[in-house]
C-alpha cells in the first residue's frame, strides 16, 4: 500500500427529496443569487427544475439561467457563462444535470476570476486561485463529476477534448435524488454504466500488483454494475437499482479507488475515447465500450496478470493460463457490452477505416506522449489500438 493524500470535500445529499436539503446550506452560506446551468428538456421532464426553482423561490434566491449545454460540452458555452458571472452578481453556480453540465459549471467556476481566456487553464498555462462555489443537482449519474475535481471540455477550434483537474473544482454540495433518473433513456443508462465500469477498470488494470485490498473494492463495484445495468434496462424506475448505480458512479471516480495504488490509474482508454467523442460527436460511454476492449486486446499479452485476476474475480473465469484467462476476460467484457447494446467497434459508430489515422493523430496531440501506466503508449501503439477497434 502506497502513501496517499486524499481529501474529498464535497458534501453529498443522497436520496429521495434531497434537493430540499440544499436549502439549509444555501441559507447558511448567505447565497442570494445562483446561475442555474442545465442542458435541454430533461430537467423539466424529470422534475428537477421544478423542485430546484421552488426551493430557490422559497429562499428568495435569484436564478439567472444558462442552458442548452450539450453532451461533450464546448468551450464557447463556458465563455458565455464566465461573461455572465463577471457582469452580474452571482454568488454560486447550480448545475442541474449530468457530467457535461457539471463540467461546464466547473470550467465557469475556474475561469470566473481569471483575466485571460479560460482555455489557458485547460492548457496548464494559468493557475486558478479562486473559484465560484458549486451547489449541484445530479439528474444523470455516470462521471462522478459532481464529487471530483475534474472538468472535461472540448475546444473545436483547437481540435482538442481534454480534462483539467484542480482541488478548487470540487463542488461544495452535490444533491443526488435517484428518482430524477427514472426518465433516463436506455441508451444513456447503458453509456453511463459503461463509464462507471471503465473508471473502476482503469484502476484495476493499471499494472499495480500490490493493491489487493483496493482491487477487491473495484471488483465488487464492477460485479454489481454487471447486475444493475440489466436490471435498469428491464425496469428503468427500479429505485434501488437507480440508487445503487448513482452511488457506484461516485465511488468509481471520486478518487477513493486510487488510494494506496502505485499509480492513480491508467486512463489511456479515456484519452483514446475523447478523440472519438470530439471528432465524431459520440457519447462518452459509447467511445469507451469501443476503445477499452481494443486497448485490452492490444496489451494483455504484455501483462496478462491484471486481466486474469479480473476474470477470476468478476467473470468466474478460472481455467487455463493467465494469458488464456486474460483473453477470456476481454471476450466476456465484450459479450456484456453486446448484451446491453453498447457498441464495440468503430464501424458501429459509423467511423470509416480511412478516418482511423485522424483519430490516432488527434489522440497523440491531445496530451503528452507516451502515456499510460500498464504500458506506455506511443503514436504507433495508439494507431494500432484504433485499428483493433475497427
Ligand atoms: O440535454 P438534456 O435534455 O439535459 O439531456 C441529457 C443529455 O442528453 C440527458 N439527461 C440528463 N439527465 C436526464 C437526461 N435524460 C433523461 N432524464 C434525465 N434525468 O442525458 C444526457 C447527459 O449527457 P451528459 O451530461 O453528456 O452525460 P454524462 O453524464 O455521461 O457526461 C459525459 C461528459 O462528461 C465527461 C465526458 O467526457 C463527457 O463530456 N466526463 C467527465 C468526467 C469528470 N468530470 O470527472 C469524467 C468522465 O470520465 C468523463 O470524461
Ligand atoms: Zn469516463
Amino acid at each position: 500500500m502506497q502513501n496517499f493524500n486524499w481529501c474529498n470535500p464535497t458534501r453529498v445529499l443522497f436520496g429521495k427529496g434531497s434537493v430540499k436539503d440544499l436549502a439549509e446550506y444555501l441559507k447558511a452560506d448567505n447565497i442570494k443569487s445562483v446561475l442555474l446551468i442545465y442542458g435541454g428538456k430533461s430537467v423539466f421532464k424529470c422534475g428537477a427544475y421544478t423542485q430546484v426553482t421552488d426551493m430557490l423561490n422559497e429562499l428568495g434566491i435569484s436564478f439567472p439561467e444558462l442552458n442548452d449545454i450539450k453532451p461533450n460540452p464546448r468551450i464557447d458555452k463556458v465563455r458565455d457563462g464566465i461573461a455572465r458571472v463577471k457582469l452580474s452578481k452571482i454568488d454560486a453556480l447550480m448545475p442541474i444535470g449530468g457530467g457535461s453540465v457539471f463540467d461546464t459549471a466547473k470550467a465557469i467556476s475556474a475561469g470566473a476570476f481569471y483575466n485571460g481566456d479560460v482555455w489557458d487553464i485547460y492548457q496548464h498555462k494559468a493557475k486558478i486561485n479562486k473559484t465560484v462555489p458549486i451547489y449541484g443537482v445530479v439528474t444523470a449519474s455516470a462521471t462522478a463529476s459532481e464529487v471530483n475535481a475534474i472538468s472535461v471540455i472540448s475546444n473545436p477550434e483547437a481540435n482538442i477534448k481534454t480534462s483539467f483537474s484542480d482541488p478548487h473544482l470540487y463542488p461544495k454540495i452535490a444533491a443526488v435524488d435517484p428518482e430524477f433518473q427514472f426518465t433516463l433513456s436506455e441508451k444513456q443508462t447503458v453509456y453511463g454504466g459503461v463509464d462507471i465500469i471503465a473508471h473502476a477498470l482503469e484502476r484495476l488494470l493499471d499494472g499495480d500488483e500490490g493493491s489487493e485490498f483496493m482491487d477487491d473494492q473495484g471488483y465488487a463495484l464492477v460485479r454489481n454494475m454487471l447486475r444493475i445495468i440489466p436490471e435498469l434496462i428491464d425496469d428503468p424506475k427500479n429505485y434501488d437499482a437507480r440508487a445503487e448505480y448513482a452511488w457506484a458512479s461516485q465511488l468509481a471516480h471520486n478518487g477513493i479507488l486510487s488510494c494506496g495504488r502505485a499509480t492513480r490509474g491508467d486512463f489511456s482508454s479515456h484519452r483514446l475515447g475523447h478523440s472519438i467523442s470530439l471528432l465524431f460527436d459520440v457519447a462518452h460511454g459509447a467511445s469507451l465500450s469501443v476503445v477499452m476492449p481494443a486497448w485490452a486486446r492490444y496489451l494483455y499479452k504484455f501483462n496478462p496478470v491484471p486481466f486474469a485476476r479480473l476474470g477470476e474475480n468478476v467473470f468466474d473465469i478460472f481455467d487455463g493460463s493467465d494469458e488464456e484467462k486474460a483473453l477470456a476476460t476481454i471476450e466476456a467484457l465484450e459479450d456484456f457490452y453486446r448484451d446491453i447494446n453498447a457498441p464495440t467497434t468503430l464501424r458501429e459508430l459509423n467511423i470509416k477505416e480511412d478516418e482511423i489515422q485522424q483519430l490516432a493523430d488527434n489522440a497523440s496531440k491531445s496530451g503528452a506522449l507516451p502515456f499510460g501506466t500498464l504500458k506506455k503508449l506511443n503514436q504507433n501503439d495508439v494507431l494500432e489500438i484504433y485499428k483493433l477497434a475497427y
Side-chain angles (χ1 to χ4, degrees):
M1 186 113 175
Q2 304 294 313
N3 292 2
F4 60 88
N5 178 337
W6 187 63
C7 169
N8 189 316
T10 303
R11 178 182 297 280
V12 177
L13 306 172
F14 193 96
K16 293 180 192 180
S18 54
V19 162
K20 64 177 183 320
D21 299 339
L22 272 170
E24 70 172 279
Y25 297 96
L26 292 166
K27 254 194 283 180
D29 295 344
N30 203 23
I31 302 294
K32 300 288 184 211
S33 64
V34 299
L35 181 65
L36 272 197
I37 305 171
Y38 57 92
K41 293 200 171 68
S42 75
V43 284
F44 303 106
K45 202 168 127 197
C46 75
Y49 184 88
T50 308
Q51 283 196 28
V52 169
T53 53
D54 283 355
M55 184 252 316
L56 294 173
N57 279 326
E58 220 163 279
L59 294 173
I61 293 176
S62 64
F63 50 89
E65 300 185 6
L66 177 75
N67 60 17
D68 204 24
I69 309 300
K70 300 270 194 277
N72 299 319
R74 295 168 174 222
I75 193 78
D76 52 346
K77 274 287 177 186
V78 173
R79 291 181 181 131
D80 287 356
I82 291 172
R84 298 277 293 278
V85 174
K86 283 184 173 172
L87 275 176
S88 40
K89 185 169 167 1
I90 303 279
D91 297 326
L93 306 178
M94 188 166 283
I96 317 176
S100 296
V101 171
F102 272 82
D103 285 359
T104 301
K106 285 157 138 178
I108 295 169
S109 174
F113 293 100
Y114 175 58
N115 283 330
D117 180 27
V118 62
W119 189 245
D120 294 347
I121 295 169
Y122 286 75
Q123 293 297 288
H124 306 281
K125 291 180 187 157
K127 280 211 175 314
I128 52 175
N129 302 309
K130 193 175 170 194
T131 49
V132 186
I134 296 173
Y135 301 73
V137 175
V138 176
T139 66
S141 291
T143 64
S145 180
E146 71 273 15
V147 285
N148 67 34
I150 307 164
S151 165
V152 186
I153 295 292
S154 296
N155 182 337
E157 297 135 46
N159 215 20
I160 289 180
K161 176 176 180 179
T162 193
S163 65
F164 170 75
S165 175
D166 186 284
H168 288 91
L169 294 185
Y170 281 105
K172 190 147 192 207
I173 303 191
V176 186
D177 182 341
E179 287 188 319
F180 291 150
Q181 306 195 30
F182 287 175
T183 51
L184 278 171
S185 66
E186 181 177 317
K187 257 200 173 126
Q188 183 61 30
T189 301
V190 164
Y191 294 159
V194 168
D195 192 26
I196 296 167
I197 291 172
H199 294 153
L201 292 183
E202 284 175 323
R203 273 85 180 187
L204 289 166
L205 302 172
D206 66 354
D208 171 14
E209 289 174 25
S211 291
E212 201 178 327
F213 170 66
M214 291 313 293
D215 283 351
D216 259 351
Q217 318 299 313
Y219 296 141
L221 199 147
V222 177
R223 247 193 345 261
N224 277 277
M225 288 307 297
L226 300 184
R227 166 182 63 80
I228 294 166
I229 299 168
E231 280 177 9
L232 286 173
I233 291 173
D234 285 350
D235 180 9
K237 296 190 175 163
N238 177 336
Y239 179 82
D240 285 327
R242 283 280 176 215
E244 288 179 336
Y245 180 107
W247 186 226
S249 74
Q250 296 199 348
L251 295 176
H253 208 34
N254 68 358
I256 201 161
L257 285 187
S258 292
C259 293
R261 304 191 77 81
T263 82
R264 293 194 55 75
D266 184 332
F267 300 103
S268 304
S269 295
H270 266 70
R271 179 152 156 191
L272 298 171
H274 287 342
S275 292
I276 299 175
S277 292
L278 174 83
L279 298 177
F280 300 97
D281 201 19
V282 167
H284 177 56
S287 76
L288 292 169
S289 58
V290 167
V291 91
M292 211 166 183
W295 169 85
R297 278 183 185 278
Y298 187 68
L299 290 192
Y300 82 95
K301 281 191 184 159
F302 165 79
N303 182 358
V305 175
F307 299 95
R309 295 298 91 82
L310 176 70
E312 291 162 357
N313 285 283
V314 173
F315 294 103
D316 295 333
I317 293 167
F318 300 107
D319 293 337
S321 65
D322 274 352
E323 199 171 304
E324 286 163 341
K325 282 190 265 191
L327 181 58
T329 302
I330 297 164
E331 286 167 353
L333 183 65
E334 285 171 328
D335 285 346
F336 174 72
Y337 288 156
R338 279 190 282 267
D339 285 349
I340 59 172
N341 284 321
T344 53
T345 61
L346 290 172
R347 252 170 300 156
E348 288 165 82
L349 304 177
N350 296 319
I351 296 172
K352 301 190 187 68
E353 200 167 4
D354 61 9
E355 291 169 320
I356 289 176
Q357 185 67 50
Q358 199 187 334
L359 278 172
D361 292 344
N362 188 272
S364 301
K365 75 157 194 188
S366 66
L369 272 176
F371 61 97
T373 63
L374 184 62
K375 179 185 186 309
K376 293 225 171 291
L377 305 178
N378 60 33
Q379 195 156 1
N380 185 55
D381 297 318
V382 168
L383 180 63
E384 292 305 318
I385 292 170
Y386 283 127
K387 281 185 186 165
L388 278 177
Y390 187 71

